[in-house]
Structure formats: C-alpha cells, structure tokens
Amino acid sequence: MSIHLGDIAPDFEQETTIGRIRFHEWLGDSWGILFSHPKDFTPVCTTELGAVAKLAPEWAKRGTKVIGLSVDPVGSHAAWAADIADTQGATVDFPIIADADGKVAALYDMIHPAADPKVTVRTVFIIDPAKKVRLTVTYPPSAGRNFDEILRVLDSLQLTDRHKVTTPANWRDGEDVIIAPSVSDEQARTLFPTGWKTLRPYLRLVAQPR
C-alpha cells in the first residue's frame, strides 16, 4: 500500500532490540520518526544510525521518538550496534525493528522491486501525536540521509501546528516565517501585533512566533 500525507500510520506488532512492541502504543503521545535500512552491516546505514544516535538530545527536546528498521533479526541488530559504537562514536539508544518477515516493510511500501525485490529502500516517515503521517521521503541506496533536514522539517511542522504560519525555502529555526494565506490582514494584526513585512499580498514575512 502507498502511504500518503495525512494518512494514519499503520499500526503493527513486531520484534525490536527493546523487545516486542505495538507501534502506536510505543509512540504514545510523542512525535515519531520511522526510518528503514536495506540491511545491517552496510556502510551508509552504519553512518546514518550513528548520526541519529548523536542527535538524541535534539529528538528529546522536540518530544520525538525515533525507531529504525531492517530486514535482519534482533541478534544481528545487536552486533551491528557494537560496530556503530566503535566506528561512529555513538551508542544506539533507540529501538531497531527486526522485520525479517517483511510485515512492516509491506505495510509502509518499503520494498521497491525495480530497485531491489528483497531489501527495504531508505525511507523516512515523520508521524505526529495523532498518528498521522506528516512527511515521507525516500533516498537511493547510495546516498546517506540528511538528518539535519529531518530536524528542520520537524521544527517547521511543530511550529506551524501551533501558529498560523508557514516556513519559506531553506528556513531554519529562529528565522522569519510566512503568515498563512488563510489569515486576513485584520486577523494578522491580532495574531502578530508587532507587524510584518508585505512583499506581495500573498507573501507576508513575520518574525517567528515563540
């Protein structure tokens, strides 16, 4: 099945490095990031899991749980985590799903047969506390993911859920944002009493709300 933005993320029960979990129950009221890997002991994935582990304080600051997935079994994941710690200088303190039967890969359309019929593609899902999918992105096997970009989009989603704004190209936390087109100037005067800069009637820049 294809996963579209706004869909409820499929629930599942599967073995992980922290034991058997039911996904929605494990997420609770948190934001979540589910990201898949073709196989254990592969070079690009090793650097990716190290990068995600090093970002642990950033995920926590944003109330976000991360969980990886590979088609290999739990024992393989544990051995791989030792390699990650040794080569990347980071302890994998988040769970990795052991999707040996491909159940989760099928639910989340992670097998792209024209690329490889046996292993998962390099996919990321951001899931909100209502269990809705808010971002999907799929990378080719040769390109490691940019988790700074995943953090950037997470910041944007959390900000724009709280305030009637959107974020411009290449936006970073703390920079000016755009007043949502659905907000009239009259409403904007109440929401943004310090004012804004109008470049066009549809493009109004304002300091990021706090």
Side-chain angles (χ1 to χ4, degrees):
M1 61 180 289
S2 295
I3 304 291
H4 296 160
L5 298 185
D7 287 350
I8 297 297
D11 197 12
F12 58 83
E13 190 173 336
Q14 193 65 296
E15 294 296 334
T16 79
T17 50
I18 61 167
R20 194 166 187 86
I21 66 163
R22 182 169 290 279
F23 185 52
H24 283 191
E25 182 181 281
W26 175 80
L27 276 176
D29 295 328
S30 298
W31 286 75
I33 292 176
L34 168 63
F35 63 115
S36 60
H37 305 276
K39 284 179 67 66
D40 292 0
F41 302 103
T42 51
V44 175
C45 297
T46 298
T47 64
E48 289 182 323
L49 266 72
V52 172
K54 289 175 183 176
L55 288 170
E58 300 300 325
W59 308 124
K61 188 163 65 178
R62 293 161 175 82
T64 300
K65 294 181 177 180
V66 295
I67 187 167
L69 175 145
S70 172
V71 297
D72 294 304
V74 167
S76 173
H77 291 350
W80 186 26
D83 273 9
I84 294 164
D86 186 45
T87 64
Q88 306 303 305
T91 299
V92 176
D93 58 358
F94 54 86
I96 306 174
I97 299 163
D99 195 38
D101 60 6
K103 179 172 68 177
V104 181
L107 278 176
Y108 283 80
D109 194 28
M110 292 173 174
I111 302 290
H112 292 192
D116 190 312
K118 295 181 180 178
V119 299
T120 55
V121 291
R122 211 181 293 280
T123 301
V124 182
F125 298 89
I126 294 182
I127 300 162
D128 71 17
K131 310 298 185 291
K132 289 185 177 181
V133 174
R134 303 294 296 277
L135 171 139
T136 67
V137 60
T138 301
Y139 284 68
S142 58
R145 282 166 279 208
N146 183 340
F147 285 97
D148 287 339
E149 169 64 2
I150 304 304
L151 272 175
R152 190 189 76 88
V153 178
L154 181 59
D155 282 341
S156 174
L157 288 168
Q158 293 185 345
L159 175 70
T160 58
D161 277 3
R162 294 192 304 268
H163 303 281
K164 294 182 182 297
V165 296
T166 58
T167 55
N170 301 322
W171 171 86
R172 293 283 179 181
D173 185 35
E175 296 177 350
D176 287 355
V177 295
I178 300 168
I179 299 173
S182 59
V183 175
S184 69
D185 282 352
E186 183 179 356
Q187 292 171 310
R189 278 189 280 273
T190 300
L191 294 171
F192 311 106
T194 58
W196 60 88
K197 181 179 181 180
T198 300
L199 301 182
R200 292 291 187 273
Y202 60 85
L203 182 52
R204 297 164 294 172
L205 298 179
V206 70
Q208 177 178 322
R210 292 295 179 183

